[in-house]
Amino acid sequence: MTTCSAPGKVYLFGEHAVVYGEPAVPCAVERRARVTVEPREDGQVRVDAADLSLDGFTVTWGGDVDERPAVDAPASLVEAATAYIDAAVAQARDAADAPEAGFDIAVESDIPLGAGLGSSAAVVVAGIDAATRALDAPLSADEVARRAYEAEFAVQDGQASRADTFCSAMGGAVRVEGDDARTIDAPPLPFVVGYDGGGGDTGELVAGVRALREEHGFAADTVETVGDLTREGERLLAAADADSEPSEELLSALGELMDFDHGLLAALGVSARSLDAMVWAARDAGAAGAKLTGAGGGGCVVALDPTPGTERALEFAAECERSFRAELATEGVRVEAP
Ligand code: PMV
């Protein structure tokens, strides 16, 4: 039995603009998906998903079995979850040159599903790592990231960016620009996440920004401005000491850029009433800055606050279903039990 875990992520800067070749800085956060894998002889895949922010389900497929899960959860969510696991299994079989390999897989995750925190990427990354290790064919984190991207690409019909999978596999802060993804130094940033209990439709939101950008020069300028502020944020991170707690000045400068980024994303039409309300609750509570994270339309906001103030204020905000501290995860995918 092999267990691996991988972190979710928030965008410090740059979502949406990254689609048009601007840089983005996602950061891995200490909320993990854990995947336990045990090879089985009969070629079947059996998955127990204890906590995917759903009620949990069990599903078996492969061989002669194709049992649909009996769960009290939206079919689309269950199908999406099994599709990601299926794609991760295909990558592990290919990497280990074991096309007939079967698995018992248990998934546990404390990353809200479909809310911009990279839950599917974390499951795919931890799944590929655990399954290849269980088959005695361990991969480097880079290779796990590459294969996890291929898996997401297959499930999402080519609509995947490398950000989520690379960030989850490598951990820490990451810089993504086009197909180039690399880790960058960052101090331990005090992220706080607010979750409205929902999520937006990434495809629709991306299409909305694309249409605005094509229609209005000022919308195209807005996207470029997101790129400019991301580069400014990168300069701040590069000048900081990655091994010490971030200074108040650094947090306040990063926070100012996050606030600006949220305003530009709102101008591009991807915020939501709930996200704006959570952003303001965080700012009022003394956060250095706050913004939506991911595609938007609903889901999560991320704020910077080393004190308990923002987490507590979000807990009491009507629009917020759950809030939690999610420190920068310096470690990406890792073995929990060999
Ligand atoms: O919601 P998420 O975590 O899948 O992030 C989407 C980020 C976008 O920039 C809007 C789209 C993308 O593929 O980069």
Short mmCIF file of all heavy atoms in Angstrom, two decimals, residues 159-205:
data_model
loop_
_atom_site.label_atom_id
_atom_site.label_comp_id
_atom_site.label_asym_id
_atom_site.label_seq_id
_atom_site.Cartn_x
_atom_site.Cartn_y
_atom_site.Cartn_z
N GLN A 159 -8.15 21.89 -22.60
CA GLN A 159 -8.31 23.22 -21.97
C GLN A 159 -7.54 23.31 -20.64
O GLN A 159 -8.02 23.95 -19.72
CB GLN A 159 -9.78 23.48 -21.68
CG GLN A 159 -10.66 23.60 -22.90
CD GLN A 159 -10.35 24.87 -23.69
OE1 GLN A 159 -10.22 25.93 -23.12
NE2 GLN A 159 -10.21 24.73 -24.99
N ALA A 160 -6.40 22.64 -20.53
CA ALA A 160 -5.69 22.66 -19.24
C ALA A 160 -4.47 23.57 -19.34
O ALA A 160 -3.81 23.62 -20.37
CB ALA A 160 -5.24 21.25 -18.89
N SER A 161 -4.18 24.30 -18.25
CA SER A 161 -2.90 25.00 -18.21
C SER A 161 -1.99 24.18 -17.29
O SER A 161 -2.45 23.34 -16.53
CB SER A 161 -3.07 26.44 -17.70
OG SER A 161 -2.88 26.49 -16.31
N ARG A 162 -0.69 24.44 -17.40
CA ARG A 162 0.26 23.66 -16.60
C ARG A 162 0.30 24.11 -15.16
O ARG A 162 0.93 23.47 -14.31
CB ARG A 162 1.68 23.81 -17.18
CG ARG A 162 1.83 23.11 -18.50
CD ARG A 162 3.23 23.22 -19.05
NE ARG A 162 3.24 22.69 -20.40
CZ ARG A 162 3.39 21.40 -20.69
NH1 ARG A 162 3.59 20.53 -19.73
NH2 ARG A 162 3.34 20.98 -21.93
N ALA A 163 -0.36 25.22 -14.86
CA ALA A 163 -0.19 25.86 -13.55
C ALA A 163 -0.54 24.92 -12.40
O ALA A 163 0.28 24.71 -11.50
CB ALA A 163 -1.05 27.12 -13.49
N ASP A 164 -1.74 24.35 -12.42
CA ASP A 164 -2.20 23.57 -11.27
C ASP A 164 -1.34 22.34 -11.03
O ASP A 164 -0.95 22.05 -9.90
CB ASP A 164 -3.64 23.08 -11.50
CG ASP A 164 -4.65 24.20 -11.40
OD1 ASP A 164 -4.25 25.35 -11.59
OD2 ASP A 164 -5.82 23.91 -11.12
N THR A 165 -1.10 21.57 -12.09
CA THR A 165 -0.39 20.31 -11.93
C THR A 165 1.08 20.56 -11.56
O THR A 165 1.64 19.88 -10.70
CB THR A 165 -0.50 19.47 -13.21
OG1 THR A 165 -0.39 20.34 -14.35
CG2 THR A 165 -1.83 18.75 -13.28
N PHE A 166 1.71 21.55 -12.21
CA PHE A 166 3.11 21.84 -11.92
C PHE A 166 3.27 22.31 -10.47
O PHE A 166 4.14 21.86 -9.73
CB PHE A 166 3.65 22.89 -12.89
CG PHE A 166 5.12 23.14 -12.75
CD1 PHE A 166 6.05 22.25 -13.27
CD2 PHE A 166 5.59 24.25 -12.05
CE1 PHE A 166 7.42 22.47 -13.12
CE2 PHE A 166 6.95 24.48 -11.90
CZ PHE A 166 7.87 23.58 -12.43
N CYS A 167 2.37 23.22 -10.08
CA CYS A 167 2.43 23.78 -8.73
C CYS A 167 2.21 22.68 -7.68
O CYS A 167 2.93 22.61 -6.68
CB CYS A 167 1.35 24.85 -8.62
SG CYS A 167 1.48 25.87 -7.18
N SER A 168 1.25 21.80 -7.93
CA SER A 168 0.95 20.74 -6.98
C SER A 168 2.12 19.75 -6.88
O SER A 168 2.46 19.29 -5.79
CB SER A 168 -0.33 20.02 -7.41
OG SER A 168 -0.68 19.04 -6.48
N ALA A 169 2.74 19.44 -8.00
CA ALA A 169 3.85 18.48 -7.98
C ALA A 169 5.10 19.06 -7.32
O ALA A 169 5.79 18.39 -6.56
CB ALA A 169 4.17 18.01 -9.40
N MET A 170 5.39 20.34 -7.61
CA MET A 170 6.66 20.92 -7.17
C MET A 170 6.56 21.62 -5.82
O MET A 170 7.54 21.74 -5.10
CB MET A 170 7.19 21.93 -8.20
CG MET A 170 7.24 21.42 -9.62
SD MET A 170 8.22 19.92 -9.81
CE MET A 170 9.87 20.56 -9.66
N GLY A 171 5.37 22.14 -5.48
CA GLY A 171 5.20 22.89 -4.24
C GLY A 171 5.77 24.29 -4.35
O GLY A 171 6.37 24.67 -5.36
N GLY A 172 5.55 25.11 -3.32
CA GLY A 172 6.08 26.46 -3.25
C GLY A 172 5.40 27.40 -4.24
O GLY A 172 4.29 27.15 -4.70
N ALA A 173 6.09 28.50 -4.52
CA ALA A 173 5.57 29.45 -5.50
C ALA A 173 6.11 29.07 -6.87
O ALA A 173 7.23 28.56 -7.00
CB ALA A 173 6.00 30.86 -5.13
N VAL A 174 5.30 29.34 -7.88
CA VAL A 174 5.62 28.90 -9.22
C VAL A 174 5.37 30.05 -10.17
O VAL A 174 4.52 30.91 -9.90
CB VAL A 174 4.69 27.70 -9.55
CG1 VAL A 174 4.56 27.47 -11.03
CG2 VAL A 174 5.16 26.45 -8.84
N ARG A 175 6.12 30.08 -11.27
CA ARG A 175 5.87 31.10 -12.30
C ARG A 175 5.51 30.35 -13.58
O ARG A 175 6.24 29.44 -13.99
CB ARG A 175 7.14 31.90 -12.49
CG ARG A 175 7.12 32.75 -13.70
CD ARG A 175 8.46 33.40 -13.96
NE ARG A 175 8.22 34.73 -14.50
CZ ARG A 175 7.98 34.96 -15.79
NH1 ARG A 175 7.94 33.96 -16.65
NH2 ARG A 175 7.75 36.19 -16.22
N VAL A 176 4.40 30.74 -14.16
CA VAL A 176 3.96 30.09 -15.40
C VAL A 176 3.82 31.15 -16.47
O VAL A 176 3.21 32.20 -16.24
CB VAL A 176 2.59 29.40 -15.20
CG1 VAL A 176 2.17 28.67 -16.46
CG2 VAL A 176 2.63 28.43 -14.04
N GLU A 177 4.41 30.90 -17.62
CA GLU A 177 4.24 31.81 -18.77
C GLU A 177 4.22 30.93 -20.01
O GLU A 177 5.23 30.31 -20.34
CB GLU A 177 5.39 32.83 -18.82
CG GLU A 177 5.16 33.88 -19.87
CD GLU A 177 6.17 35.04 -19.79
OE1 GLU A 177 6.98 35.10 -18.84
OE2 GLU A 177 6.15 35.87 -20.71
N GLY A 178 3.08 30.83 -20.64
CA GLY A 178 2.93 29.90 -21.77
C GLY A 178 3.21 28.49 -21.29
O GLY A 178 2.68 28.06 -20.27
N ASP A 179 4.08 27.79 -22.02
CA ASP A 179 4.40 26.41 -21.64
C ASP A 179 5.55 26.34 -20.65
O ASP A 179 5.96 25.26 -20.24
CB ASP A 179 4.76 25.60 -22.89
CG ASP A 179 3.51 24.97 -23.49
OD1 ASP A 179 2.48 24.89 -22.78
OD2 ASP A 179 3.56 24.59 -24.67
N ASP A 180 6.10 27.50 -20.31
CA ASP A 180 7.23 27.52 -19.39
C ASP A 180 6.72 27.61 -17.95
O ASP A 180 6.03 28.56 -17.59
CB ASP A 180 8.10 28.74 -19.72
CG ASP A 180 9.31 28.81 -18.81
OD1 ASP A 180 10.13 27.90 -18.88
OD2 ASP A 180 9.41 29.77 -18.00
N ALA A 181 7.04 26.62 -17.15
CA ALA A 181 6.64 26.62 -15.74
C ALA A 181 7.89 26.36 -14.91
O ALA A 181 8.65 25.43 -15.20
CB ALA A 181 5.59 25.55 -15.48
N ARG A 182 8.13 27.18 -13.90
CA ARG A 182 9.29 26.97 -13.03
C ARG A 182 8.99 27.42 -11.61
O ARG A 182 8.11 28.26 -11.40
CB ARG A 182 10.51 27.71 -13.59
CG ARG A 182 10.30 29.20 -13.74
CD ARG A 182 11.47 29.87 -14.43
NE ARG A 182 11.52 29.51 -15.85
CZ ARG A 182 12.55 29.75 -16.65
NH1 ARG A 182 13.62 30.35 -16.18
NH2 ARG A 182 12.51 29.42 -17.93
N THR A 183 9.74 26.87 -10.67
CA THR A 183 9.54 27.27 -9.28
C THR A 183 10.31 28.57 -9.03
O THR A 183 11.34 28.81 -9.66
CB THR A 183 10.03 26.20 -8.29
OG1 THR A 183 11.37 25.88 -8.63
CG2 THR A 183 9.20 24.94 -8.38
N ILE A 184 9.80 29.41 -8.14
CA ILE A 184 10.52 30.63 -7.76
C ILE A 184 10.58 30.70 -6.23
O ILE A 184 9.79 30.04 -5.55
CB ILE A 184 9.83 31.91 -8.32
CG1 ILE A 184 8.37 32.00 -7.84
CG2 ILE A 184 9.89 31.95 -9.83
CD1 ILE A 184 7.68 33.30 -8.26
N ASP A 185 11.53 31.48 -5.72
CA ASP A 185 11.65 31.61 -4.27
C ASP A 185 10.55 32.52 -3.73
O ASP A 185 10.22 33.53 -4.35
CB ASP A 185 13.01 32.22 -3.90
CG ASP A 185 14.12 31.18 -4.02
OD1 ASP A 185 13.80 29.97 -3.97
OD2 ASP A 185 15.28 31.59 -4.17
N ALA A 186 10.03 32.15 -2.58
CA ALA A 186 9.04 33.02 -1.91
C ALA A 186 9.11 32.75 -0.42
O ALA A 186 9.32 31.61 0.00
CB ALA A 186 7.64 32.74 -2.43
N PRO A 187 8.95 33.78 0.39
CA PRO A 187 8.91 33.56 1.84
C PRO A 187 7.59 32.86 2.22
O PRO A 187 6.69 32.77 1.39
CB PRO A 187 8.96 34.98 2.41
CG PRO A 187 8.46 35.86 1.33
CD PRO A 187 8.75 35.20 0.03
N PRO A 188 7.49 32.35 3.44
CA PRO A 188 6.26 31.66 3.86
C PRO A 188 5.08 32.64 3.97
O PRO A 188 4.92 33.31 4.98
CB PRO A 188 6.62 31.07 5.23
CG PRO A 188 7.80 31.84 5.70
CD PRO A 188 8.52 32.35 4.50
N LEU A 189 4.28 32.72 2.94
CA LEU A 189 3.20 33.72 2.88
C LEU A 189 1.99 33.25 3.69
O LEU A 189 1.59 32.09 3.59
CB LEU A 189 2.81 33.99 1.42
CG LEU A 189 3.91 34.62 0.58
CD1 LEU A 189 3.54 34.62 -0.90
CD2 LEU A 189 4.21 36.05 1.04
N PRO A 190 1.41 34.14 4.49
CA PRO A 190 0.29 33.75 5.37
C PRO A 190 -1.06 33.84 4.66
O PRO A 190 -1.83 34.76 4.87
CB PRO A 190 0.39 34.79 6.50
CG PRO A 190 0.93 36.02 5.82
CD PRO A 190 1.83 35.54 4.71
N PHE A 191 -1.35 32.85 3.82
CA PHE A 191 -2.60 32.86 3.07
C PHE A 191 -3.78 32.49 3.95
O PHE A 191 -3.69 31.59 4.79
CB PHE A 191 -2.55 31.85 1.92
CG PHE A 191 -1.58 32.18 0.83
CD1 PHE A 191 -0.57 31.30 0.49
CD2 PHE A 191 -1.69 33.38 0.13
CE1 PHE A 191 0.33 31.60 -0.53
CE2 PHE A 191 -0.80 33.69 -0.90
CZ PHE A 191 0.21 32.79 -1.22
N VAL A 192 -4.89 33.15 3.71
CA VAL A 192 -6.17 32.76 4.31
C VAL A 192 -7.16 32.63 3.16
O VAL A 192 -7.18 33.48 2.26
CB VAL A 192 -6.68 33.82 5.31
CG1 VAL A 192 -8.02 33.41 5.90
CG2 VAL A 192 -5.65 34.05 6.41
N VAL A 193 -7.94 31.54 3.17
CA VAL A 193 -8.88 31.30 2.08
C VAL A 193 -10.31 31.41 2.60
O VAL A 193 -10.63 30.95 3.70
CB VAL A 193 -8.64 29.88 1.49
CG1 VAL A 193 -9.75 29.50 0.50
CG2 VAL A 193 -7.28 29.82 0.80
N GLY A 194 -11.16 32.05 1.82
CA GLY A 194 -12.61 32.07 2.09
C GLY A 194 -13.30 31.36 0.94
O GLY A 194 -12.97 31.60 -0.23
N TYR A 195 -14.26 30.50 1.27
CA TYR A 195 -14.92 29.65 0.26
C TYR A 195 -16.42 29.88 0.37
O TYR A 195 -17.00 29.74 1.45
CB TYR A 195 -14.54 28.20 0.56
CG TYR A 195 -15.24 27.14 -0.24
CD1 TYR A 195 -15.46 27.27 -1.61
CD2 TYR A 195 -15.65 25.95 0.37
CE1 TYR A 195 -16.08 26.28 -2.33
CE2 TYR A 195 -16.27 24.94 -0.35
CZ TYR A 195 -16.48 25.12 -1.71
OH TYR A 195 -17.10 24.12 -2.43
N ASP A 196 -17.05 30.22 -0.75
CA ASP A 196 -18.49 30.54 -0.70
C ASP A 196 -19.37 29.30 -0.86
O ASP A 196 -20.59 29.40 -0.90
CB ASP A 196 -18.85 31.61 -1.74
CG ASP A 196 -18.78 31.10 -3.18
OD1 ASP A 196 -18.51 29.90 -3.40
OD2 ASP A 196 -19.00 31.91 -4.11
N GLY A 197 -18.74 28.13 -1.00
CA GLY A 197 -19.49 26.88 -1.11
C GLY A 197 -19.85 26.53 -2.55
O GLY A 197 -20.40 25.47 -2.81
N GLY A 198 -19.50 27.41 -3.48
CA GLY A 198 -19.85 27.14 -4.88
C GLY A 198 -18.63 27.20 -5.78
O GLY A 198 -17.52 26.93 -5.35
N GLY A 199 -18.86 27.55 -7.01
CA GLY A 199 -17.75 27.66 -7.96
C GLY A 199 -18.28 28.14 -9.28
O GLY A 199 -19.49 28.07 -9.52
N GLY A 200 -17.41 28.64 -10.13
CA GLY A 200 -17.84 29.12 -11.45
C GLY A 200 -17.53 28.10 -12.52
O GLY A 200 -16.86 27.11 -12.27
N ASP A 201 -18.01 28.38 -13.72
CA ASP A 201 -17.73 27.52 -14.87
C ASP A 201 -16.51 28.10 -15.59
O ASP A 201 -16.60 29.13 -16.26
CB ASP A 201 -18.96 27.51 -15.79
CG ASP A 201 -18.75 26.65 -17.02
OD1 ASP A 201 -17.61 26.59 -17.53
OD2 ASP A 201 -19.74 26.04 -17.47
N THR A 202 -15.36 27.42 -15.42
CA THR A 202 -14.10 27.97 -15.94
C THR A 202 -14.20 28.28 -17.44
O THR A 202 -13.80 29.36 -17.88
CB THR A 202 -12.93 26.99 -15.68
OG1 THR A 202 -12.87 26.76 -14.27
CG2 THR A 202 -11.60 27.55 -16.14
N GLY A 203 -14.73 27.33 -18.22
CA GLY A 203 -14.81 27.50 -19.67
C GLY A 203 -15.59 28.75 -20.05
O GLY A 203 -15.16 29.56 -20.88
N GLU A 204 -16.74 28.92 -19.39
CA GLU A 204 -17.59 30.07 -19.68
C GLU A 204 -16.89 31.39 -19.29
O GLU A 204 -16.97 32.39 -20.00
CB GLU A 204 -18.85 29.97 -18.83
CG GLU A 204 -20.13 29.90 -19.61
CD GLU A 204 -21.29 29.52 -18.71
OE1 GLU A 204 -21.57 30.27 -17.75
OE2 GLU A 204 -21.88 28.44 -18.96
N LEU A 205 -16.23 31.37 -18.12
CA LEU A 205 -15.57 32.59 -17.65
C LEU A 205 -14.41 32.97 -18.56
O LEU A 205 -14.22 34.15 -18.88
CB LEU A 205 -15.10 32.39 -16.20
CG LEU A 205 -16.26 32.30 -15.19
CD1 LEU A 205 -15.88 31.47 -13.98
CD2 LEU A 205 -16.70 33.69 -14.76
#
